[in-house]
């Protein structure tokens, strides 16, 4: 548990270098930090202590979901990305030295092109409350976010950070719709995990696409 004496509410802005393919559950700052901690320790078998405040009353970390940051000159762009979903392999007969006709015009051995809906904006933003410097150190272990991150999608780097006391960290799933009061959107009922140790449960979450001018 993080001591409240060493924490602060903050706003974190990351530059988005390549299109982001959103998973079904929008990434939150606490889930990114948990993945980063696992990479740091090379241990995915247990949960690691995060430098964030855990809100006992709400039952979740004070960490927002991902928000797309736009500027007056560069907005949020939706695009489709084609990625190969298979690797060419020789037919078994050819690989074992047996005589057979090798096809080069497709067939079951040909790589498949899968199209993914992706989003690109100049920045992505997270709000949180915790030990900011420790969060920044952890985030250095996650240079990519979202689906297909191992293939270069969702590349990020730390752009700016500052103290921010507007409680925007509330922009994430909570058990009560009232927790989203004053956030500027209508909360959506869903079944999601409040934190990594829990199970799916009824929650109210923000829309999948949140954006703000940075």
């Amino acid at each position: 548990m993080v001591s409240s004496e060493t924490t602060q509410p903050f706003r974190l802005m990351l530059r988005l270098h390549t299109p982001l393919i959103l998973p079904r559950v929008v990434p939150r700052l606490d889930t990114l930090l948990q993945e980063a901690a696992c990479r740091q320790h090379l241990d995915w078998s247990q949960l690691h202590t995060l430098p964030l405040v855990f809100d006992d009353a709400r039952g979740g970390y004070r960490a927002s979901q991902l928000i797309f940051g736009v500027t007056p000159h560069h907005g949020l762009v939706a695009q489709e990305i084609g990625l190969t979903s298979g690797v060419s392999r020789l037919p078994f007969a050819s690989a074992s030295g047996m005589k057979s006709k090798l096809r080069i015009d497709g067939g079951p051995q040909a790589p498949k092109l899968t199209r993914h809906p992706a989003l690109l904006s100049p920045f992505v933003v997270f709000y949180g409350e915790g030990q900011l410097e420790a969060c920044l150190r952890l985030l250095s272990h996650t240079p990519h976010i979202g689906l297909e991150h191992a293939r270069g999608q969702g590349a990020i780097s730390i752009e700016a950070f500052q103290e921010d006391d507007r409680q925007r960290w509330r922009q994430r799933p909570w058990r009560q719709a009232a927790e989203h009061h004053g956030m500027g959107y209508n909360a959506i009922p869903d079944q999601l995990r409040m934190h990594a140790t829990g199970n799916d449960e009824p929650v109210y979450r923000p829309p999948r696409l949140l954006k703000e001018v940075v």
Side-chain angles (χ1 to χ4, degrees):
M1 195 64 64
V2 178
S3 170
S4 61
E5 297 179 358
T6 62
T7 63
Q8 64 183 107
F10 59 84
R11 176 179 185 257
L12 176 62
M13 188 164 66
L14 308 177
R15 183 172 291 276
L16 184 59
H17 300 281
T18 56
L20 168 63
I21 304 174
L22 277 181
R24 186 185 75 83
V25 179
V26 180
R28 298 195 310 262
L29 180 58
D30 55 316
T31 56
L32 292 182
L33 292 178
Q34 188 60 241
E35 172 65 19
C38 291
R39 294 185 185 186
Q40 182 185 48
H41 295 88
L42 296 178
D43 183 3
W44 283 262
S45 63
Q46 60 178 322
L47 295 173
H48 304 276
T49 301
L50 299 183
L52 292 169
V53 173
F54 189 86
D55 196 309
D56 292 314
R58 293 179 170 91
Y61 282 106
R62 293 185 174 181
S64 78
Q65 74 178 44
L66 179 146
I67 301 163
F68 288 97
V70 300
T71 70
H73 304 290
H74 299 282
L76 177 62
V77 178
Q79 56 186 247
E80 195 173 60
I81 295 177
L83 297 173
T84 54
S85 56
V87 178
S88 295
R89 295 182 176 88
L90 287 173
F92 174 75
S94 298
S96 60
M98 298 172 61
K99 292 183 179 180
S100 66
K101 185 177 180 181
L102 179 62
R103 295 181 57 178
I104 60 173
D105 59 345
Q109 288 80 33
K112 306 298 189 294
L113 185 67
T114 302
R115 300 191 178 278
H116 303 268
L119 296 159
L120 182 63
S121 64
F123 307 100
V124 292
V125 179
F126 292 98
Y127 291 89
E129 185 173 341
Q131 297 169 336
L132 177 57
E133 293 297 328
C135 289
L136 296 176
R137 288 194 296 269
L138 271 182
L139 282 174
S140 66
H141 295 278
T142 53
H144 298 81
I145 58 176
L147 298 179
E148 301 293 347
H149 57 83
R151 303 170 73 180
Q153 303 307 311
I156 56 171
S157 62
I158 297 172
E159 178 73 16
F161 48 87
Q162 64 188 69
E163 186 171 358
D164 191 297
D165 60 0
R166 290 177 292 174
Q167 291 197 347
R168 294 285 184 88
W169 49 262
R170 287 165 45 201
Q171 298 179 121
R172 53 152 294 166
W174 298 113
R175 292 187 178 94
Q176 304 296 327
E179 300 293 350
H180 298 271
H181 179 70
M183 290 292 101
Y185 55 79
N186 294 322
I188 300 171
D190 204 346
Q191 293 274 337
L192 296 174
R193 293 185 181 185
M194 289 282 288
H195 51 88
T197 59
N199 299 314
D200 286 352
E201 58 178 297
V203 296
Y204 290 87
R205 62 166 176 81
R208 277 176 57 81
L209 297 186
L210 286 179
K211 64 180 181 178
E212 64 179 54
V213 178
V214 296

